[in-house]
Amino acid sequence: MRSYENNEDISIPISMLRQFCFCPRIVFFSEFKDIQPVYGEWVNKGMDFHTRQEMLIKRRNLENLGIPKRAKLKTEIKLKSTAYNLHGVCDAAFFFVDQKGNNKIVPLEFKTSEKISFVTGAELQIAAYAMLLEEQYSCTIDEGFILYGSKGKTYSVKINKEMKNKVKNTTARITSMFEMPIIPDSSATEKQCSQCEYLNFCADRY
């Protein structure tokens, strides 16, 4: 088990929300059994600054998304919240003041894949970043975007009460695993299992 073991206040990496949604056993094997195989293609390995900039250039007409040209882009934003027990690094976010004089932030998440698959985890990930950005910058975030593929395609994620509750509930479920580290049930499909490097450790799967 990792360093969470002796921590009274557990802080969950935001990337773990996505892993948990894909299959909760990934969290169990990596965090409690400390098994670290070579991950399959379903894991987003992140991008360097130039790759992300290229994706933004290909999606330059951001005004259609409600982001003005004057918006300032910040990258690699470190975030941590004791209220939500979450931490992570947001790929990027646009900062600007809208026509009503309100401070606005639009978080961005970059994915290497040409299509968005297992979208729930990706939605929770950017929603969690939005929640921590709201807390850190004292603002309200209504929407975030996932940019993916070589053409910089855009997937919109609405940041509403329902989405925030999903983030909180998923975080609570992960936290409960630290209290009783028993291998969880998995509802992963055959397609998901075929992409997972932990498959050999699941005796009851495909």
Side-chain angles (χ1 to χ4, degrees):
M1 188 175 178
R2 297 198 176 188
S3 58
Y4 309 97
E5 186 173 26
N6 296 319
N7 289 354
E8 293 182 3
D9 298 319
I10 296 172
S11 181
I12 302 298
I14 289 176
S15 59
M16 194 180 288
L17 300 178
R18 174 174 50 82
Q19 294 172 331
F20 187 85
C21 286
F22 188 88
C23 179
R25 290 187 178 183
I26 292 174
V27 175
F28 176 81
F29 287 126
S30 64
E31 302 303 316
F32 298 101
K33 296 299 183 181
D34 201 21
I35 300 171
Q36 301 298 316
V38 177
Y39 289 102
E41 294 182 355
W42 61 270
V43 174
N44 176 46
K45 294 178 171 43
M47 304 179 189
D48 62 27
F49 175 78
H50 297 292
T51 303
R52 288 181 296 194
Q53 285 293 94
E54 288 177 5
M55 290 181 71
L56 284 172
I57 291 171
K58 292 175 181 177
R59 194 63 181 84
R60 183 53 66 187
N61 191 18
L62 297 171
E63 288 185 279
N64 290 341
L65 305 177
I67 302 172
K69 292 181 179 179
R70 66 180 184 278
K72 182 179 180 180
L73 179 68
K74 294 184 180 181
T75 61
E76 301 292 327
I77 306 169
K78 294 182 180 180
L79 301 165
K80 185 173 183 179
S81 171
T82 55
Y84 295 123
N85 295 326
L86 290 169
H87 68 273
V89 179
C90 180
D91 281 347
F94 281 106
F95 291 71
F96 60 95
V97 178
D98 66 14
Q99 294 179 347
K100 296 181 179 180
N102 299 316
N103 292 325
K104 302 289 290 186
I105 301 176
V106 178
L108 304 175
E109 176 74 13
F110 296 87
K111 300 295 184 185
T112 57
S113 58
E114 290 298 323
K115 62 180 181 179
I116 296 292
S117 57
F118 309 112
V119 69
T120 300
E123 289 178 334
L124 288 185
Q125 190 173 10
I126 197 164
Y129 288 132
M131 292 164 64
L132 270 61
L133 285 166
E134 284 184 332
E135 182 181 71
Q136 182 163 310
Y137 292 95
S138 300
C139 66
T140 299
I141 298 176
D142 303 314
E143 190 173 23
F145 295 100
I146 300 171
L147 271 64
Y148 64 98
S150 58
K151 295 183 179 180
K153 296 178 181 178
T154 306
Y155 181 90
S156 172
V157 180
K158 300 299 181 183
I159 312 299
N160 51 32
K161 184 177 180 180
E162 179 182 2
M163 184 60 68
K164 291 179 179 179
N165 284 336
K166 288 181 180 179
V167 171
K168 294 175 184 177
N169 290 338
T170 304
T171 303
R173 291 175 63 191
I174 294 174
T175 303
S176 68
M177 293 177 63
F178 292 92
E179 298 172 357
M180 186 175 294
I182 299 174
I183 186 169
D185 291 331
S186 174
S187 59
T189 64
E190 185 174 359
K191 180 180 179 181
Q192 287 170 271
C193 288
S194 67
Q195 299 180 50
C196 182
E197 295 297 331
Y198 289 97
L199 177 59
N200 291 336
F201 301 99
C202 293
D204 61 339
R205 302 307 291 167
Y206 303 95

